[in-house]
């Protein structure tokens, strides 16, 4: 099994050709399909909902990695699970009852992830680390594709990795925002094992070539 996974974010794909885009990127070597759900409240942008996940479920072969950038995620996690999400990630800033919501995600059969905005302290992870399956570190302020990676986040990734290693159970460390072939190695060296890439892959013109370039740069 590959130890570093590449998760193209469909936020930057051509929505008019969505089915073809998913097939193309899966054939090109994608390991997961990253789906950005935005509600216009938690982040300024609005994207898609559970119906969309359900439609994708009928064509995709790789796991669906659903990133909820929404307020009150507890209201929607079961619906996203029923729609066929394999991983459901909620934001630490968006829910006052993280334990409960993470539990609901797990009970519904999906893997439960927790995400941290760039300015949110990672120490909160200590209190939920025994129940999460995935930690997502935002390396841009969420809301839009194509933003610039915040370099100081490398230290935060390392901190999260240390906490995960101490936890004594398997937890993925996903990195999202401004990840490109040029900084992928830095992010992996800091401890990330799932790399989300939107514009870098979907605006590249050649998905296979781009994924190969990223794999060459990280050497795995
Ligand atoms: C940003 C989203 C990201 C976004 C990444 O709020 O969570 O998943 O699609 O896009 P790039 O790779 O272009 O920064
Ligand atoms: Zn995302």
């Amino acid at each position: 099994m590959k130890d570093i996974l590449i998760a193209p974010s469909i936020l930057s794909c051509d929505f008019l050709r969505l089915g073809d885009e998913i097939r193309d990127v899966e054939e090109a070597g994608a390991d997961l399909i990253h789906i950005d759900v935005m509600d216009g409240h938690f982040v300024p942008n609005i994207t898609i909902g559970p119906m969309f996940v359900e439609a994708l479920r009928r064509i995709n072969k790789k796991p669906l990695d659903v990133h909820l950038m929404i307020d009150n995620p507890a209201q929607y996690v079961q619906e996203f699970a029923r729609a066929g999400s394999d991983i459901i990630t909620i934001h630490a800033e968006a829910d006052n009852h993280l334990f409960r919501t993470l539990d609901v995600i797990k009970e519904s059969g999906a893997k439960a992830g927790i995400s941290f905005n760039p300015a949110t302290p990672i120490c909160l992870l200590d209190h939920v680390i025994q129940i999460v399956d995935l930690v997502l570190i935002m390396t841009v302020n969420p809301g839009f594709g194509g933003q610039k990676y915040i370099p100081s986040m490398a230290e935060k990734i390392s901190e999260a990795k240390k906490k995960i290693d101490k936890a004594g159970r398997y937890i993925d460390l996903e990195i999202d925002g401004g990840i490109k072939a040029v900084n992928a190695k830095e992010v992996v060296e800091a401890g990330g094992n799932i790399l989300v890439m939107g514009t870098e892959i979907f605006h590249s013109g050649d998905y296979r070539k781009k994924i190969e370039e990223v794999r060459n740069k990280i050497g795995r």
Side-chain angles (χ1 to χ4, degrees):
M1 207 182 100
K2 288 182 248 178
D3 62 343
I4 306 295
L5 305 179
I6 295 182
S9 158
I10 58 163
L11 188 62
S12 298
C13 83
D14 178 357
F15 272 47
L16 213 51
R17 300 179 49 253
L18 185 64
D20 292 337
E21 290 277 64
I22 301 287
R23 273 183 219 110
D24 289 352
V25 87
E26 285 187 346
E27 276 167 24
D31 301 298
L32 304 167
I33 300 297
H34 186 84
I35 302 173
D36 289 306
V37 177
M38 304 184 185
D39 66 352
H41 293 277
F42 182 71
V43 290
N45 203 358
I46 300 179
T47 57
I48 49 102
M51 273 167 63
F52 192 96
V53 173
E54 206 178 314
L56 285 187
R57 185 79 279 176
R58 286 183 247 134
I59 57 148
N60 77 297
K61 297 193 177 70
K62 300 292 179 180
L64 294 180
D65 170 30
V66 177
H67 178 191
L68 298 184
M69 284 159 278
I70 62 175
D71 279 337
N72 193 16
Q75 194 182 338
Y76 299 100
V77 288
Q78 280 167 313
E79 215 178 316
F80 276 99
R82 273 196 298 274
S85 312
D86 295 284
I87 305 167
I88 299 176
T89 297
I90 59 173
H91 266 262
E93 309 83 2
D95 196 320
N96 290 327
H97 309 288
L98 287 169
F99 257 105
R100 188 191 294 154
T101 310
L102 290 164
D103 262 342
V104 171
I105 296 174
K106 286 164 81 93
E107 275 165 22
S108 66
K111 287 188 174 169
I114 186 159
S115 179
F116 295 85
N117 281 341
T120 303
I122 192 74
C123 54
L124 191 147
L125 178 59
D126 293 337
H127 308 287
V128 290
I129 199 150
Q130 288 311 324
I131 55 165
V132 293
D133 301 303
L134 179 147
V135 176
L136 190 166
I137 304 290
M138 288 305 307
T139 43
V140 298
N141 287 289
F144 303 95
Q147 302 182 82
K148 212 171 159 304
Y149 171 80
I150 303 171
S152 59
M153 289 299 113
E155 209 180 308
K156 191 172 181 185
I157 299 168
S158 307
E159 258 183 78
K161 174 68 175 148
K162 275 189 214 138
K163 291 181 189 296
I164 287 172
D165 287 345
K166 261 207 264 166
R169 51 188 285 270
Y170 186 83
I171 299 170
D172 283 306
L173 183 52
E174 180 170 36
I175 317 300
D176 187 4
I179 309 300
K180 306 198 174 294
V182 290
N183 58 13
K185 193 170 189 304
E186 168 183 335
V187 164
V188 167
E189 278 173 356
N193 77 298
I194 301 180
L195 306 181
V196 176
M197 289 190 190
T199 44
E200 180 71 345
I201 290 179
F202 283 108
H203 293 187
S204 71
D206 188 334
Y207 306 159
R208 180 176 297 276
K209 209 169 129 197
K210 179 53 75 179
I211 292 175
E212 270 170 23
E213 184 192 345
V214 173
R215 290 231 168 256
N216 283 339
K217 292 264 194 231
I218 58 182
R220 328 198 353 204

